[in-house]
Amino acid sequence: MAQYTFEPFKIKSVEAIPLTTREEREQWIADAGYNIFRLPSRAVTIDFLTDSGTSAMSDHQWAGMLEGDEAYAGSHNYFHLQQVVRDLFGFEQFVPTHQGRGAEQVLFNVLVKPGNIVPNNTHFDTTRANIEAIGGVALDLVIPEGLDPTNRHPFKGNMHLANLEQTIERVGVENIPLAMMTITNNAVGGQPVSLANIRATKELLARYKIPFFIDACRYAENCYFIQQREDGYRHKSIPEIAREIFSYADGFTMSAKKDGLVNIGGLLAARDPGLFEKIQNRLILTEGFISYGGLARRDLEAMARGLLEATDEKYLAYRIGQVRYLAERLLEMGIPIVEPPGGHAVFLDAKRFLPHIPQSQFPALALTIALYLEGGIRAVEIGSVMFAKQDPATGETRYAALELVRLAIPRRVYTQSHLDYVAEVIGEVYRQREAIRGVKIVWEAPLLRHFTAKFEMV
Ligand code: P61
């Protein structure tokens, strides 16, 4: 049976897990309008809602928190973070932000104008929403393999280079203020991007003088996949691979809540001095002064230390191995998932899991609700609740390409026996899948509706 490299840490502090009855869960989820974002955490046994901001920090990070130098300007924790950003990413100019979308908001407000196009391998919902909020167009250009849950391409997150070039030719360079690359590619399953693809994307954009920005949330996990899967990188260290990736970037945004191993924090870096000046001005207006960007200085220290810990190969082998372990347990039971599994999560393929539920009844959300009812597992829908769009011309709904349920595994939080429990619960839901019903929306907000929408069972 599948096994993974055992947890390369021991547990110094513990947090009790809520154990609930089925009757209690039925009540909780109905009270939440069948939206798992509305569940209080005390109703949740295994919380796979997100790997973002949910990591366990190390004793070294906690010790760093006590060394917070809460000076408004020029705190020594800021200078430590600056050193780490320089060493890991090779960037001299950066600002901290409160989280990833803080960086996105600042960057897009200084670069993007209404009507502009911003290509990406695949935008995550916050980058998309922040571009659309300014009147820009967020364009997804992932390779077709990325949209096929059964295709075992090793780098399913890659950019479709021919489509990128065609897009530039079609809309004109003057309408593309930047292009982005999300590593790993979260929305298609936490799938990695190869270094060859990053390099080729940079070369293509450089020919058109379009700035290339990386969405770097899970860059360390992406580096590990490159080391394991890409020719020529087997003997390179994670920091060496990272430095090569970022050498091709004109800037990056990062939610440090993922591979920064912190509960809050983000980064925004840019090489162009003129652009960086605008970034600093916007940051001061909306996030905070340039040496803290909306964070306490102790948070900067935790981030500096976490960024380094996440590049430890033993940690990454365990981390990626844990995700693969859960995936293999599910595959043994014939459960349809996105293959191969990505870096931070296992994605259930709801279209194949629940073929009797049409996209108009949100199969991935229906599955999410079933997992909660069966075992108190909170997963997240990454499908049409999150991504469906109304066609402005025809008024027709364009459903998401994929209907996925993401089991995002927080870093350093759950053990192998927790994963065994999760596999058993999903196995039980799979056996009873024909009884699962679809859902309909009864209330929704105009932007990022999945956070707050309310539903009813069909
Ligand atoms: C997540 F349900 N991701 O995956 P911030 N880029 C990328 C992300 O994955 C990302 C951000 C930028 C989350 C948190 C999350 O509707 C949701 O620090 C590739 O969250 O601002 C975040 O970073 C933004 C979950 C975000 C959601 C939005 O779970």
Side-chain angles (χ1 to χ4, degrees):
M1 197 201 270
Q3 251 272 294
Y4 68 80
T5 316
F6 69 76
E7 292 79 7
F9 49 82
K10 55 187 176 176
I11 296 165
K12 184 161 0 208
S13 176
V14 296
E15 180 183 340
I17 278 181
L19 299 173
T20 56
T21 63
R22 181 155 187 124
E23 290 68 41
E24 286 169 336
R25 293 194 290 275
E26 277 167 2
Q27 191 62 51
W28 281 118
I29 193 79
D31 291 348
Y34 295 94
N35 186 339
I36 50 84
F37 282 102
R38 291 177 174 274
L39 286 174
S41 63
R42 71 195 142 100
V44 176
T45 300
I46 301 283
D47 206 346
F48 283 174
L49 173 59
T50 179
D51 64 319
S52 178
T54 52
S55 305
M57 292 211 297
S58 67
D59 50 358
H60 185 58
Q61 285 176 290
W62 280 111
M65 296 280 283
L66 288 179
E67 292 176 28
D69 157 17
E70 301 300 336
Y72 190 93
S75 151
H76 76 72
N77 311 111
Y78 166 76
F79 292 113
H80 183 203
L81 181 62
Q82 183 179 53
Q83 188 61 47
V84 170
V85 169
R86 189 181 287 141
D87 292 349
L88 272 181
F89 305 108
F91 272 79
E92 294 296 328
Q93 304 183 125
F94 87 101
V95 287
T97 60
H98 81 277
Q99 61 184 79
R101 70 199 75 177
E104 291 158 13
Q105 173 272 120
V106 169
L107 179 66
F108 299 148
N109 270 286
V110 301
L111 269 186
V112 179
K113 304 269 172 304
N116 281 174
I117 314 272
V118 182
N120 197 330
N121 50 351
T122 315
H123 289 276
F124 197 61
D125 62 349
T126 56
T127 57
R128 170 173 293 281
N130 270 298
I131 290 165
E132 290 175 352
I134 302 170
V137 179
L139 201 63
D140 294 336
L141 296 175
V142 71
I143 56 170
E145 291 87 339
L147 298 179
D148 173 0
T150 59
N151 189 304
R152 296 192 58 89
H153 190 291
F155 292 104
K156 287 174 82 167
N158 280 354
M159 180 82 82
H160 195 306
L161 292 160
N163 281 357
L164 176 60
E165 181 147 30
Q166 270 172 18
T167 302
I168 299 169
E169 291 289 339
R170 182 168 50 84
V171 306
V173 187
E174 64 285 3
N175 293 313
I176 307 182
L178 78 160
M180 297 187 77
M181 180 79 102
T182 305
I183 62 170
T184 56
N185 189 336
N186 187 3
V188 304
Q191 298 293 333
V193 176
S194 71
L195 239 166
N197 189 256
I198 292 170
R199 196 182 305 118
T201 302
K202 169 62 185 176
E203 280 165 11
L204 173 59
L205 293 170
R207 272 198 276 128
Y208 291 95
K209 299 199 167 51
I210 296 171
F212 179 40
F213 274 69
I214 291 179
D215 178 341
C217 305
R218 300 180 180 84
Y219 83 97
E221 291 166 6
N222 202 104
C223 287
Y224 185 76
F225 282 115
I226 288 173
Q227 188 196 56
Q228 298 298 309
R229 296 182 182 172
E230 190 160 353
D231 284 347
Y233 290 93
R234 194 68 194 86
H235 300 293
K236 292 240 155 72
S237 71
I238 301 299
E240 279 173 325
I241 296 171
R243 270 193 298 276
E244 182 176 348
I245 292 176
F246 287 91
S247 73
Y248 302 124
D250 298 300
F252 69 89
T253 58
M254 178 173 188
S255 167
K257 297 167 73 175
K258 288 83 169 171
D259 281 349
L261 292 174
V262 284
N263 303 120
I264 195 73
L267 295 170
L268 171 56
R271 291 197 204 279
D272 174 9
L275 171 62
F276 189 64
E277 198 180 310
K278 288 186 194 154
I279 285 174
Q280 288 180 307
N281 292 338
R282 174 82 195 175
L283 187 92
I284 292 170
L285 188 67
T286 59
E287 291 271 308
F289 187 59
I290 52 173
S291 63
Y292 74 88
L295 295 169
R297 274 55 71 196
R298 55 180 172 271
D299 295 326
L300 303 180
E301 188 59 38
M303 197 196 311
R305 295 180 185 208
L307 283 166
L308 291 177
E309 288 178 13
T311 63
D312 175 0
E313 245 171 82
K314 291 190 193 75
Y315 154 75
L316 283 168
Y318 141 76
R319 164 73 181 154
I320 304 290
Q322 186 182 46
V323 175
R324 190 176 51 232
Y325 172 79
L326 178 59
E328 283 171 5
R329 294 262 354 235
L330 298 178
L331 286 170
E332 281 164 13
M333 294 185 276
I335 292 168
I337 63 168
V338 174
E339 290 184 70
H344 65 294
V346 174
F347 290 69
L348 304 176
D349 181 357
K351 277 189 188 168
R352 282 184 292 148
F353 200 115
L354 300 173
H356 59 285
I357 300 182
Q359 278 189 284
S360 58
Q361 293 179 12
F362 306 111
L365 187 71
L367 182 50
T368 305
I369 295 165
L371 297 181
Y372 177 72
L373 284 173
E374 182 62 31
I377 298 167
R378 175 155 67 172
V380 72
E381 192 256 20
I382 300 208
S384 288
V385 178
M386 200 180 265
F387 288 124
K389 280 264 169 312
Q390 208 90 347
D391 190 312
T394 64
E396 259 174 58
T397 304
R398 273 184 273 137
Y399 292 103
L402 299 173
E403 297 290 345
L404 303 178
V405 172
R406 186 182 72 172
L407 306 157
I409 305 184
R411 295 170 182 78
R412 306 192 292 207
V413 171
Y414 293 110
T415 64
Q416 183 170 348
S417 56
H418 292 122
L419 299 187
D420 287 333
Y421 167 77
V422 169
E424 280 162 30
V425 169
I426 298 174
E428 191 50 40
V429 171
Y430 191 59
R431 277 186 286 280
Q432 299 170 21
R433 61 190 178 279
E434 275 160 28
I436 296 174
R437 288 172 296 147
V439 287
K440 66 173 188 220
I441 298 180
V442 290
W443 181 85
E444 64 182 292
L447 270 183
L448 297 176
R449 66 176 177 182
H450 55 283
F451 284 126
T452 51
K454 291 191 178 176
F455 305 90
E456 270 170 15
M457 307 306 292
V458 174

